[in-house]
Amino acid sequence: MNRFLTIRMRYGVCSALFLLMAGCSVPAYLDTDLPFEKRAEDLVSRMTLEEKVSQMTNDSRAIERLGVPAYNWWNECLHGVGRSGLATVFPQAIGMAAMWDDSTMFRIATAVSDEARAKYNDYASRGKRGLYQGLTFWTPNINIFRDPRWGRGMETYGEDPYLTGELGVQYIRGLQGDDPRYLKLVATAKHFAVHSGPESTRHSANIFPSNRDMAATYLPHFRKAVQQAGVWSVMCAYQRISGEPCCGNSAMSSLLRDQWGFGGYVVSDCWAVADFYQKNAHHVVPTREAAAAKAVKAGTDLNCGDSYPALTEAVRQGLITEPEIDVSVTRLMEARMRLGMFDPAKMVPYSDIPLSVVDCAEHRELALEAARKSMVLLENKGGMLPFTKQVRRVAVIGPNADEEEVLLANYCGYPSSAVTVAEGVRRKLPDAEVIYAQGCRLAEEMPHLSAIPAAAFYTDSTKREHGLHVVYFDNDSLAGTPCWQGVEPAVDHIWRTTPPHPGMRYDCFSARWSGVLSVSESGDYALGGEGYLGFELRLDGKRLASWKVPDQPHKEYSWVRLEAGRCYRIEAEYCQKDTEYAMMRLLWDYPKPDLQAEALRAAASSDLVILCMGLSPLLEGEALNIDVKGFSGGDRVDIGLPASQQKLIRAINKLGKPVVLVLLNGSAVAFGPDIQAMPAILEAWYPGQAGGDAVADVIFGDYNPAGRLPVTFYRSVDQIPAFENYDMAGKTYRYFAGDPLYPFGYGLSYTTFSYEWVSVPESVQAGEPMSVAVRVTNTGARAGDEVVQLYVALPDSKYSGPIRSLQGFRRIHLQPGQSRCVTFELLPEQMAALDEYDLPVVEPGRIRLSVGGGQPLPEAVASQKVLLRDIPVSDGPYAL
């Protein structure tokens, strides 16, 4: 009996009985005494070709005869467990980068991986193995945010390879855990390599980055992810590099494995392999079989998409061999084994993380801490902030003031509660009157969508009864006999994991609403819907909105002209299948009175005005289908604040009231001197579930801001070279010689700090490390954090290179009058130039160090915020 239990735990009840009756021993791949590599090889050796190929797509099917369960490799945790129902939502990645705090990054990633493991444990216990229910996460995005026009730049850690690498290493370590045997999760460094827009051409672009830019900018952080963090997965990018698609690029694969020692697996970006043969994309091979073979032979082990089922035919055609396929499948099986999927739960240290850790109090507090740390104070003229809490009336104005969307950004989960800026101010000032006014649209052509109220719906054209007829089905196909039907006043449902009606499943149902829409005012309306899985909206039989992609929630809308009093036949459908978050909402934007006039009235009667402007994940993001001036396919054409917002800001500012401009956005924005002259400007990014509380904490002095910009804020798009140009000349602080609106590394505080050298060498031997130390003192009256930054420049180098490069940072907390010594250790490669062969060399001459609260710009040096020192290099050159 004991032997049976052992085999059953490892292999399943039916297979255990079969093995015992057949007199078989436990197969090698289930022998936990063997190395994972050997076990994976043994498992793959038992598979047929068709079975092997079935394991190489993101939605891998079960192999029951071998006890291999079905598994979906696609999971997201960019800033919290994404698209998998309830989760703690931290600031968007660009906001986490603005913390400049690697230790907090590790703590966040540890919290995220706790929640991810807890969810997986729960899913597995219920036999659920679908999309977003696994342990292999396609995070982090460590591409360089080289141009603010890129819509997905918000997913990155900014424009600097050193900052990106240091933060990425900590996030990966926090996700993958520290157990010597098992991985907590698999992290995925993406997108390898050089990927950073434009979104519209990513499936066809062929870029030719120089070897120098590759070595200095596009690759160092990926190398850190592999060699320092031990990342177990890398995702290859869509575009071509020098003629070869990244997912079919043997040179890039060789760099990963042969030069850097990468031992994990490579996964394609979704449908990237299909780009190989599609005529409107790269079209470098003629068939799906050739594309699949090319990708696998180049080292892409796993395909997100539908290309790899063609591998069986590719083998028959002689395009690839079965042993070549074995290499990839073995890597994939080893990863699953390292996650503990083939071992008894008691052996896996993460298998007992309970579901109660999800959205726990500790994680909610960490989300608030992270949001506070991400806040960057850009302007504070005359020390207007912090503002007194003894105010009678506060106006919170702007299209981003009361919108949950700008808290959560993209690739997000769903918190139990999310605090907007308006709500955060209300909570901060319970005795004050807090007035909200939209003020303007985000952009002129961008609707401000809200739920269509019951007053606009009727059951039929007689208009005697408000509401819509609805029928619910206990399947995802609107088929069969309804399990519930009746009348609902409106369609504004966020069910989460609660079924619409008793007896129904929350994760598999469908619904159809029908009736009449009638409005009281003629005009242009935006009509649309929002659903997690699939929805469709029709008006008089014409489709206005439709979304069938099962990987993310989505809003879709169309502009229509409606006549007052007329009856329009409206129909909507929703299908829910195997996801942990059910929602369906019918939305509109309707003709409104003068929004600006309403906002001006609110501002004129208030003691403080908080203007919430910026962007939205509806405007910037991945491959968006929008038609808004200044935006294209998720990217930005212009980096200025939209004209509608600038108009409102200027009008409010003329009132002469105390005004705080709060920016909520995922990329740098630009504005003119009149807006920059506002009393206070706070960059809040997309701050996560606690964003509103964090903004209020900063404005009213319960938190002293210390975030720093992880990107350069340019004055206009005219300062930046062409978006399509991947040459780094003129881009990012490292190569931009102009006058920025706000520089990389910039951020203000409510207190002041001074610096003095503690130790710095008189000279350094070429090829040797160097240690420097400074004393930082809080010279103000408030406790606060300081972000100590170390930059290196090579003024005597004969080779071209960056103006300066960040090579160290430390976020520290100091009480008033308190001092702390901060030491940096510089390795030789951090003092090296790239020679004519793009290899690192330490040259004779000077190494210019700067240490302070920002870059060594003239005003910073003059005010003693930055220390400068030239260190002679003895001997050299020294090749590394």
Side-chain angles (χ1 to χ4, degrees), residues 557-572:
Y557 66 90
S558 295
W559 286 100
V560 294
R561 180 78 179 179
L562 300 181
E563 302 287 337
R566 179 179 166 184
C567 291
Y568 298 87
R569 181 165 45 90
I570 189 168
E571 298 170 295

Side-chain angles (χ1 to χ4, degrees), residues 472-492:
Y472 285 94
F473 301 86
D474 59 0
N475 56 65
D476 65 337
S477 56
L478 297 161
T481 303
C483 60
W484 193 91
Q485 55 188 315
V487 173
E488 292 181 347
V491 184
D492 187 14

Side-chain angles (χ1 to χ4, degrees), residues 1 18 88 133 170 187 297 315 362 403 499 527 535 539 626 661 667 744 844:
M1 177 60 71
F18 175 80
T88 307
Q133 296 171 351
Q170 295 306 315
K297 288 167 78 75
V315 171
E362 180 183 353
E403 283 295 310
L527 292 180
F535 67 85
L539 195 71
I626 59 171
L661 173 60
S667 55
F744 173 90

Side-chain angles (χ1 to χ4, degrees), residues 247-287:
C247 293
N249 196 313
S250 296
M252 299 301 292
S253 179
S254 176
L255 178 68
L256 268 178
R257 296 192 181 279
D258 301 332
Q259 295 187 42
W260 295 352
F262 175 63
Y265 64 88
V266 175
V267 56
S268 78
D269 208 338
C270 292
W271 291 273
V273 177
D275 290 342
F276 293 13
Y277 65 89
Q278 291 181 346
K279 292 184 179 180
N280 62 345
H282 298 311
H283 197 215
V284 294
V285 297
T287 65

Side-chain angles (χ1 to χ4, degrees), residues 107 132-133 156 335 425 598 639 649 694 768 774 818:
R107 291 166 55 213
Y132 307 132
Q133 296 171 351
T156 76
V425 173
E598 178 189 16
I639 64 170
I649 293 170
E768 294 295 320
V774 295
Q818 184 182 5

